[in-house]
PDB file of all heavy atoms in Angstrom:
ATOM      1  N   PHE I 114      82.599  99.441  78.386  1.00 96.00           N
ATOM      2  CA  PHE I 114      81.964 100.752  78.213  1.00 96.00           C
ATOM      3  C   PHE I 114      81.029 101.122  79.371  1.00 96.00           C
ATOM      4  O   PHE I 114      80.098 101.909  79.216  1.00 96.00           O
ATOM      5  CB  PHE I 114      81.219 100.851  76.869  1.00 96.00           C
ATOM      6  CG  PHE I 114      82.139 100.764  75.680  1.00 96.00           C
ATOM      7  CD1 PHE I 114      82.133  99.647  74.860  1.00 96.00           C
ATOM      8  CD2 PHE I 114      83.022 101.794  75.389  1.00 96.00           C
ATOM      9  CE1 PHE I 114      82.991  99.553  73.761  1.00 96.00           C
ATOM     10  CE2 PHE I 114      83.878 101.713  74.295  1.00 96.00           C
ATOM     11  CZ  PHE I 114      83.861 100.593  73.482  1.00 96.00           C
ATOM     12  N   THR I 161      84.580 104.785  85.999  1.00 98.00           N
ATOM     13  CA  THR I 161      84.333 104.738  84.561  1.00 98.00           C
ATOM     14  C   THR I 161      85.560 105.086  83.709  1.00 98.00           C
ATOM     15  O   THR I 161      86.520 105.687  84.186  1.00 98.00           O
ATOM     16  CB  THR I 161      83.218 105.734  84.189  1.00 98.00           C
ATOM     17  OG1 THR I 161      83.670 107.064  84.468  1.00 98.00           O
ATOM     18  CG2 THR I 161      81.953 105.447  84.975  1.00 98.00           C
ATOM     19  N   TRP I 229      90.955 111.692 100.832  1.00 98.00           N
ATOM     20  CA  TRP I 229      92.418 111.787 100.780  1.00 98.00           C
ATOM     21  C   TRP I 229      92.938 111.249  99.457  1.00 98.00           C
ATOM     22  O   TRP I 229      92.236 110.524  98.744  1.00 98.00           O
ATOM     23  CB  TRP I 229      93.102 111.117 101.962  1.00 98.00           C
ATOM     24  CG  TRP I 229      92.783 109.672 102.272  1.00 98.00           C
ATOM     25  CD1 TRP I 229      92.030 109.213 103.321  1.00 98.00           C
ATOM     26  CD2 TRP I 229      93.239 108.481 101.575  1.00 98.00           C
ATOM     27  NE1 TRP I 229      91.968 107.832 103.310  1.00 98.00           N
ATOM     28  CE2 TRP I 229      92.716 107.361 102.259  1.00 98.00           C
ATOM     29  CE3 TRP I 229      94.037 108.252 100.457  1.00 98.00           C
ATOM     30  CZ2 TRP I 229      92.957 106.038 101.853  1.00 98.00           C
ATOM     31  CZ3 TRP I 229      94.284 106.939 100.037  1.00 98.00           C
ATOM     32  CH2 TRP I 229      93.750 105.855 100.751  1.00 98.00           C
ATOM     33  N   LEU I 273     105.456 110.181  85.910  1.00 98.00           N
ATOM     34  CA  LEU I 273     106.146 108.896  86.083  1.00 98.00           C
ATOM     35  C   LEU I 273     105.227 107.679  86.036  1.00 98.00           C
ATOM     36  O   LEU I 273     105.679 106.550  86.163  1.00 98.00           O
ATOM     37  CB  LEU I 273     106.932 108.937  87.409  1.00 98.00           C
ATOM     38  CG  LEU I 273     107.930 107.839  87.692  1.00 98.00           C
ATOM     39  CD1 LEU I 273     108.943 107.680  86.557  1.00 98.00           C
ATOM     40  CD2 LEU I 273     108.670 108.111  89.002  1.00 98.00           C
ATOM     41  N   LEU I 407     112.155  86.641  78.170  1.00 97.00           N
ATOM     42  CA  LEU I 407     110.996  85.965  78.751  1.00 97.00           C
ATOM     43  C   LEU I 407     110.994  86.211  80.250  1.00 97.00           C
ATOM     44  O   LEU I 407     112.057  86.138  80.853  1.00 97.00           O
ATOM     45  CB  LEU I 407     111.078  84.453  78.509  1.00 97.00           C
ATOM     46  CG  LEU I 407     110.936  83.962  77.078  1.00 97.00           C
ATOM     47  CD1 LEU I 407     111.027  82.437  77.042  1.00 97.00           C
ATOM     48  CD2 LEU I 407     109.616  84.414  76.527  1.00 97.00           C
ATOM     49  N   ALA I 448     101.877 114.486  76.428  1.00 89.00           N
ATOM     50  CA  ALA I 448     100.683 115.132  76.988  1.00 89.00           C
ATOM     51  C   ALA I 448      99.401 114.325  76.804  1.00 89.00           C
ATOM     52  O   ALA I 448      98.464 114.755  76.128  1.00 89.00           O
ATOM     53  CB  ALA I 448     100.505 116.527  76.384  1.00 89.00           C
ATOM     54  N   VAL I 546      79.490  81.468  89.203  1.00 98.00           N
ATOM     55  CA  VAL I 546      79.117  82.374  88.115  1.00 98.00           C
ATOM     56  C   VAL I 546      80.373  82.974  87.483  1.00 98.00           C
ATOM     57  O   VAL I 546      81.366  83.232  88.175  1.00 98.00           O
ATOM     58  CB  VAL I 546      78.151  83.471  88.616  1.00 98.00           C
ATOM     59  CG1 VAL I 546      78.780  84.320  89.709  1.00 98.00           C
ATOM     60  CG2 VAL I 546      77.673  84.354  87.473  1.00 98.00           C
TER      61      VAL I 546
END
Side-chain angles (χ1 to χ4, degrees):
Chain I
F114 295 110
T161 64
W229 54 253
L273 191 54
L407 292 181
V546 61

